[in-house]
Amino acid sequence: TGSGAGKMAAGGAADAQARFGHSVKGLLTEKVTSCGTDVIALTKQVLKGSRSAELLGQAARNMVMQEDAILHSEDSLRKMAIITTHLQYQTSCLVPSVEQSSNLQDQLSHLLK
């Protein structure tokens, strides 16, 4: 009967060792799955950050282009203001000439009658 008890003790120890090994495998599997999930989340975050930097760069380039367009528009407006001033001056010089021309036409038509 003593050898039967020894076999049972050895069998119980082997069974406990198998359960311990299975438990460790389960914990390792959980940890590997958890680490895999963390790596995927980290990769997504890095890609998102990379995309943000790309979008910021594009926004900066667009802003520079808009600034150039605004500066060009301001320059064009200044030139148009100068042209407008010149045209107003020329108009003010032409008005007396037109009035004199009208007077001359009246005088000519009166003389030709």
Side-chain angles (χ1 to χ4, degrees), residues 24-99:
V24 168
K25 284 182 184 176
L27 286 173
L28 281 174
T29 302
E30 285 179 28
K31 286 292 182 185
V32 166
T33 303
S34 173
C35 284
T37 303
D38 290 346
V39 166
I40 290 170
L42 178 63
T43 303
K44 286 181 180 177
Q45 192 63 34
V46 167
L47 290 173
K48 188 177 180 182
S50 171
R51 182 76 177 132
S52 295
E54 182 183 328
L55 290 174
L56 280 173
Q58 183 64 39
R61 285 189 292 277
N62 288 345
M63 197 171 202
V64 168
M65 287 179 8
Q66 290 298 325
E67 187 178 10
D68 286 345
I70 289 170
L71 291 173
H72 181 71
S73 296
E74 285 178 345
D75 189 44
S76 295
L77 285 172
R78 273 192 290 277
K79 289 176 183 175
M80 284 192 280
I82 291 169
I83 291 170
T84 302
T85 302
H86 285 294
L87 288 173
Q88 288 171 342
Y89 174 72
Q90 291 173 0
T91 302
S92 67
C93 289
L94 284 173
V95 167
S97 298
V98 169
E99 289 174 355

Side-chain angles (χ1 to χ4, degrees), residues 6 10 15 48 57 100:
D15 189 37
K48 188 177 180 182
Q100 285 178 354

Side-chain angles (χ1 to χ4, degrees), residues 7-22:
K7 281 186 180 178
M8 282 184 71
D15 189 37
Q17 189 175 3
R19 278 187 300 208
F20 177 74
H22 185 63

